[in-house]
Amino acid sequence: MLSKELTDKYQLVVGLEVHAQLSTSSKLFAEDASSFGAEPNTHVSVITLGHPGTLPKLNMRAVDYAVRMGLACQCTISRRSSFDRKNYFYPDLPKGYQITQDKEPICIGGKVPFFLEDGSELEVQLNRIHLEEDAGKLIHAPGKEASWVDFNRAGTALIEIVTEPCIRSSEEAVAFLAEIRKLVMYLEICDGTMEEGSLRCDANVSVRLRGTEILGKKVEVKNMNSFRNLGNAIDFEYQRQIELLELGQEIISETRSFDADGCFTSSMRTKEELNDYRYFPEPDLPPLFLTEEWIESVNAQLPALPNALYRKFIAAYGLPRYDAALLTESKDVATWFEALCAKTAQYKAASNWMMGPIKSYLNETGTSFATFPLKVEVVAQLIALVEEGQVSFSVASQKIYPELILNPTVTPLEIAQRLNLIQESDASYLVPLAKEVLLENPDKVKEYKSGKKGLLGLFMGELMKKSGGKADPKVASRIFSELLAN
Ligand code: ADP
Ligand code: MG
């Protein structure tokens, strides 16, 4: 652990490079399917394999997706962008070069605002978003002197989101990546699964004396496939670099790899060993020109974004931050919640239903809102039933709701009546029962009167039993207070 003295002395500086695999059905420059998990080397056309004489052809769906992300991140969309060759030799790269965008990326600048858990708002500045193709996959067979290569992934479409070095803590980096993940999923351009590598992140980390302007030498950390790994890798580097500087040593610009089991980074290659990529304009692809109208048509189709919905849920629906964060976690949840709020004004109750019974049902059945049996109108009726005091929330959620799921066409009121669940708030029915409860528990009544007010819960419980769970708790508790007052 670093001392406060050292963390006061050194500032952490992080810039992230996030790769998102676009969920286009075909690759960036070829018609092969870009599906995950197919038999190895089954989606490998001559273009993917880089056979001589083949020509790449740009997938306009991928361009559409990159522009969606650019617009969502408030980037400037380039009317003209172009592709470059990044040359290096590696067995997973059939052509010996990767087609990417170096000098003229499709999206420039931009920013991503997001909230930390404590409700404070931050903003990360973007440098660019560009399009590029992915490499294949090497599989190192354990115990064998061989490696296999699967070219299915080679040539699939990626966007790379590059931030400015403006991130100042691991917490901030993780929250930013979480926001990016939400954005690509809301925009439906990437499935966001980090375990499968659909969303990957490299962290550039440096430290400098607080108060100084000049950036320190940076280290690039690769191989982080979870939020937790990203946070741990950054924290580890912060400490390692400070310790080196304190020993009077220099930081070497290098690429390091994160070991998730041991929770440390280790050197992969230093800057001197780095490839000279010899970027040059891709001669097989013309520059890409986008018209104002085309960009506008993409813009017109953007959905409401998670950050805007988060604000709305707090400002317009009066929800706590916690609720707003959970309800905007994914688009289908937010969309369903919005539809529900069009049918009820009990927003907090609606949120409780979403995060409680409805979420449990979806989790337990492994399903989503696409097949959720209840209409928003029915859930709104259920909320009204509780609000009007006809049934308690627990009766509504534990008795009526499961019945509704099985019979989604009947109304909650019909079920409540059929199952004889309508709450009893009639004093002429409840007072005699309450009196019975007190007569049966003379000792507890004494204790209550001598100050153990918590016993009210016990009396209520007994009354609930006697009334078959139907006593209106508000009325019942008033009756007990009155009976016990003298
Ligand atoms: P390179 O030339 O090594 O590719 P770039 O300037 O293109 O470096 O930046 C790549 C990424 O590294 C960006 O996300 C950028 O914000 C980040 N970065 C650049 N310099 C630093 C630094 N000194 N400390 C931390 N991150 C940095
Ligand atoms: Mg660079």
Side-chain angles (χ1 to χ4, degrees):
M1 270 298 286
L2 288 165
S3 67
K4 173 151 186 337
E5 196 188 325
L6 287 176
T7 55
D8 281 348
K9 184 171 169 188
Y10 293 98
Q11 181 177 50
L12 171 71
V13 175
V14 176
L16 297 181
E17 294 167 290
V18 184
H19 286 96
Q21 220 168 68
L22 298 181
S23 44
T24 51
S25 53
S26 57
K27 296 184 177 180
L28 185 53
F29 301 113
E31 284 176 359
D32 330 353
S34 54
S35 54
F36 173 84
E39 276 290 296
N41 298 309
T42 50
H43 300 309
V44 287
S45 64
V46 288
I47 296 178
T48 291
L49 295 177
H51 284 202
T54 59
L55 286 174
K57 180 164 175 270
L58 181 59
N59 179 342
M60 280 308 283
R61 181 59 68 85
V63 174
D64 175 344
Y65 285 9
V67 169
R68 279 191 213 178
M69 189 61 176
L71 290 167
C73 298
Q74 306 172 58
C75 303
T76 303
I77 309 300
S78 306
R79 282 9 179 207
R80 176 201 152 105
S81 64
S82 60
F83 293 90
D84 299 278
R85 281 191 189 180
K86 179 177 178 179
N87 300 279
Y88 63 96
F89 179 77
Y90 205 66
D92 64 8
L93 193 71
K95 297 199 293 287
Y97 59 85
Q98 176 196 27
I99 304 180
T100 179
Q101 296 191 299
D102 183 37
K103 293 244 158 28
E104 297 180 298
I106 188 158
C107 309
I108 297 174
K111 58 189 175 194
V112 178
F114 56 96
F115 291 89
L116 294 181
E117 248 170 57
D118 67 3
S120 55
E121 189 177 15
L122 291 174
E123 196 169 85
V124 164
Q125 306 298 319
L126 299 187
N127 175 279
R128 62 196 283 159
I129 299 174
H130 64 252
L131 275 163
E132 64 185 27
E133 56 179 346
D134 208 346
K137 236 183 215 163
L138 286 178
I139 300 142
H140 305 291
K144 293 206 173 133
E145 279 183 30
S147 290
W148 292 303
V149 62
D150 175 6
F151 287 124
N152 281 350
R153 201 180 64 180
T156 55
L158 300 174
I159 49 171
E160 178 173 344
I161 302 145
V162 183
T163 79
E164 291 296 340
C166 62
I167 298 166
R168 295 288 175 267
S169 71
S170 55
E171 187 198 10
E172 223 178 293
V174 168
F176 166 77
L177 185 60
E179 193 67 23
I180 291 290
R181 179 164 181 273
K182 263 188 269 178
L183 277 174
V184 296
M185 292 172 74
Y186 267 72
L187 296 169
E188 296 179 34
I189 63 173
C190 166
D191 66 25
T193 53
M194 296 182 71
E195 319 78 59
E196 289 172 5
S198 296
L199 195 68
R200 324 195 273 270
C201 176
D202 301 337
N204 299 272
V205 184
S206 68
V207 303
R208 65 179 170 192
L209 291 175
R210 277 187 207 276
T212 53
E213 287 282 316
I214 300 167
L215 292 174
K217 279 233 178 84
K218 76 171 158 78
V219 159
E220 186 176 354
V221 189
K222 300 255 180 207
N223 289 344
M224 290 158 301
N225 61 355
S226 72
F227 293 117
R228 194 214 300 205
N229 288 351
L230 172 65
N232 285 341
I234 292 173
D235 288 338
F236 178 88
E237 269 306 303
Y238 182 45
Q239 174 157 0
R240 187 186 71 86
Q241 294 183 21
I242 290 177
E243 283 169 0
L244 280 178
L245 293 175
E246 283 292 298
L247 289 171
Q249 296 180 19
E250 274 188 32
I251 309 297
I252 329 167
S253 294
E254 61 183 349
T255 304
R256 296 177 73 88
S257 155
F258 181 67
D259 181 309
D261 296 329
C263 207
F264 61 86
T265 67
S266 56
S267 183
M268 285 167 77
R269 50 181 186 263
T270 57
K271 203 82 188 175
E272 290 78 64
E273 302 163 48
L274 275 187
N275 293 297
D276 173 2
Y277 293 124
R278 292 177 297 120
Y279 282 102
F280 63 84
E282 168 58 57
D284 289 341
L285 286 165
L288 170 66
F289 292 94
L290 299 179
T291 63
E292 217 61 51
E293 298 77 53
W294 190 83
I295 295 169
E296 197 32 59
S297 74
V298 176
N299 195 32
Q301 287 165 34
L302 289 189
L305 298 177
N307 187 282
L309 288 174
Y310 176 88
R311 287 166 188 281
K312 176 178 176 187
F313 290 179
I314 293 171
Y317 299 154
L319 294 184
R321 288 197 303 264
Y322 177 80
D323 295 44
L326 280 182
L327 293 169
T328 52
E329 204 61 48
S330 78
K331 183 168 147 186
D332 58 343
V333 173
T335 307
W336 213 84
F337 179 66
E338 287 260 77
L340 179 55
C341 287
K343 301 287 172 195
T344 175
Q346 303 292 323
Y347 305 129
K348 179 57 182 145
S351 167
N352 293 344
W353 275 93
M354 295 289 296
M355 299 189 300
I358 296 179
K359 188 174 174 206
S360 308
Y361 173 83
L362 297 178
N363 284 349
E364 280 159 23
T365 53
T367 54
S368 70
F369 280 106
T371 55
F372 186 59
L374 301 189
K375 292 209 176 95
V376 284
E377 287 81 359
V378 173
V379 176
Q381 289 166 359
L382 209 42
I383 291 171
L385 221 50
V386 176
E387 178 58 22
E388 292 156 5
Q390 304 241 51
V391 296
S392 67
F393 174 74
S394 59
V395 165
S397 59
Q398 287 162 28
K399 302 225 167 104
I400 303 178
Y401 172 70
E403 279 295 312
L404 272 175
I405 297 263
L406 299 174
N407 296 299
T409 52
V410 291
T411 69
L413 183 61
E414 281 164 353
I415 293 181
Q417 284 165 339
R418 175 156 57 77
L419 299 181
N420 196 20
L421 295 169
I422 297 292
Q423 216 155 249
E424 200 56 75
S425 53
D426 185 353
S428 65
Y429 166 78
L430 290 175
V431 170
L433 290 183
K435 283 184 173 162
E436 257 177 53
V437 169
L438 298 182
L439 279 175
E440 287 162 13
N441 294 282
D443 298 350
K444 301 289 178 206
V445 171
K446 237 183 245 158
E447 286 179 43
Y448 179 92
K449 288 190 173 172
S450 65
K452 269 186 96 178
K453 299 294 181 210
L455 283 168
L456 178 63
L458 180 130
F459 301 141
M460 291 281 287
E462 291 299 310
L463 178 61
M464 279 297 171
K465 273 187 219 155
K466 285 184 191 289
S467 66
K470 287 165 54 188
D472 179 332
K474 275 190 214 130
V475 181
S477 113
R478 204 180 61 229
I479 290 172
F480 275 123
S481 312
E482 281 164 15
L483 290 176
L484 289 161
N486 38 53

